[in-house]
Amino acid sequence: MFGARKSWVLPAFATLITVLVGLVTAWWINGETASIWASFDLAKAGLTDEYCELNRMGDAVRQPVNAWSNLCYTFLGTWVLGWAWKDFRDPLAHNPMRRFPAMSMLVGLMLVGLGCGSFFFHASLTNLGQHFDMGFTYGLTLTLGVGAAYRLRLNKTRKETQKARWAFLGLALALATTMAILKWKVSGKIALPIMMVTGISLAVWVYFRERARFSGILIGCAVLSTIVAAVFRSIDLAKVGCNSEGLYQSHAIWHFTTGFAAFLFLAFLREEKAAPASK
């Protein structure tokens, strides 16, 4: 699974990049105070106790656990970008998603962007930070949904064309951009669950259309991770078992589980088995 040949290289490289990003960020904010965010308007989370974690309004990183946990997106996004790089170098790969490396690249960029945007938001608790956070959240969810829709299209046509790939890639970018622009005009409590359920439904449909070629374990774990993420997000907002100054924060678990779910959904599409040879 995920390619046995030198399977340690990508996670090792992703770990190195994540550590470097973490160290550079820590160096940048070392000695800083909340004054670095003074020119930005506070979001609702900065004006109220929206999350369980204590708002340390005098610090440069106002929600440290919720902020630093976003490094998981950097790690997973770098790993996915490594997949895309490998796919670009192997245009004759055995399955459609590996022959469409631009989609994997977009997913990887969305993960890395989400890590940066969400860190910015939880460190600053500003409207601008929330805009980037939710913009990339929508973008990642929509991109994975479009990827599943592309694979469903192939169930009907069996024809892979560069024109179709560009069309679906453009659709993903257009939807992500539209939601980023309209972010303040829609309710995230409604829009995000609809996007997530739609994307999951498309991926599950892909599986049931051709179960012999796809991994039930990967799609099952991806769905389970998404459900666990939703549960922990609800727990955090409801402040169930809340320790506002503790190292454990339910919203940080949301970061880990949503990132892992996105990673697994893409892995599910990329690990499709080759079609049986015609007799």
Side-chain angles (χ1 to χ4, degrees):
M1 189 177 294
F2 309 143
R5 186 181 179 185
K6 295 184 178 180
S7 58
W8 58 271
V9 173
L10 282 182
F13 178 71
T15 300
L16 175 62
I17 294 299
T18 303
V19 170
L20 288 174
V21 169
L23 289 174
V24 169
T25 305
W27 170 80
W28 175 63
I29 63 174
N30 182 45
E32 296 286 353
T33 66
S35 62
I36 62 175
W37 313 122
S39 60
F40 300 100
D41 294 330
L42 287 174
K44 176 185 175 183
L47 299 171
T48 63
D49 297 328
E50 183 174 359
Y51 301 96
C52 169
E53 187 171 11
L54 177 69
N55 293 345
R56 297 167 173 83
M57 299 307 292
D59 295 348
V61 180
R62 288 165 166 168
Q63 290 185 349
V65 177
N66 286 348
W68 288 109
S69 60
N70 285 289
L71 285 172
C72 70
Y73 293 125
T74 303
F75 172 75
L76 294 170
T78 304
W79 193 335
V80 169
L81 288 173
W83 280 348
W85 172 251
K86 288 173 62 178
D87 293 347
F88 272 117
R89 300 175 66 189
D90 184 18
L92 300 179
H94 69 272
N95 75 49
M97 288 307 295
R98 292 195 181 193
R99 292 191 293 269
F100 190 5
M103 185 61 76
S104 294
M105 183 176 69
L106 184 57
V107 172
L109 290 173
M110 288 293 179
L111 278 166
V112 172
L114 178 55
C116 296
S118 188
F119 181 91
F120 177 21
F121 171 52
H122 288 288
S124 66
L125 297 179
T126 60
N127 279 327
L128 183 61
Q130 187 175 27
H131 181 78
F132 282 107
D133 179 12
M134 291 307 300
F136 280 109
T137 299
Y138 289 145
L140 176 62
T141 307
L142 290 166
T143 300
L144 288 168
V146 170
Y150 171 78
R151 184 57 189 83
L152 274 175
R153 171 190 175 274
L154 296 181
N155 282 341
K156 294 184 177 181
T157 66
R158 296 293 178 187
K159 294 181 180 179
E160 295 180 57
T161 65
Q162 197 63 25
K163 182 177 179 181
R165 293 189 185 110
W166 282 112
F168 275 86
L169 188 68
L171 176 62
L173 286 169
L175 290 173
T177 302
T178 299
M179 287 307 302
I181 294 173
L182 298 179
K183 184 247 173 254
W184 301 113
K185 298 183 181 295
V186 298
S187 170
K189 293 180 179 179
I190 297 174
L192 186 58
I194 290 175
M195 293 178 199
M196 294 175 75
V197 170
T198 300
I200 291 171
S201 299
L202 289 171
V204 170
W205 190 2
V206 169
Y207 172 69
F208 280 108
R209 287 289 295 268
E210 296 189 60
R211 280 182 286 180
R213 297 178 62 179
F214 287 95
S215 170
I217 293 176
L218 282 175
I219 189 63
C221 289
V223 172
L224 178 61
S225 186
T226 304
I227 294 171
V228 171
V231 170
F232 274 96
R233 178 173 174 79
S234 298
I235 288 173
D236 185 68
L237 293 177
K239 309 225 174 18
V240 176
C242 174
N243 177 5
S244 63
E245 298 186 61
L247 289 177
Y248 166 81
Q249 296 296 328
S250 297
H251 193 75
I253 305 300
W254 157 266
H255 292 158
F256 296 137
T257 48
T258 51
F260 191 49
F263 181 83
L264 288 175
F265 275 118
L266 182 61
F268 162 74
L269 294 172
R270 291 184 74 260
E271 291 300 312
E272 177 183 352
K273 298 175 184 176
S278 56
K279 297 181 180 179

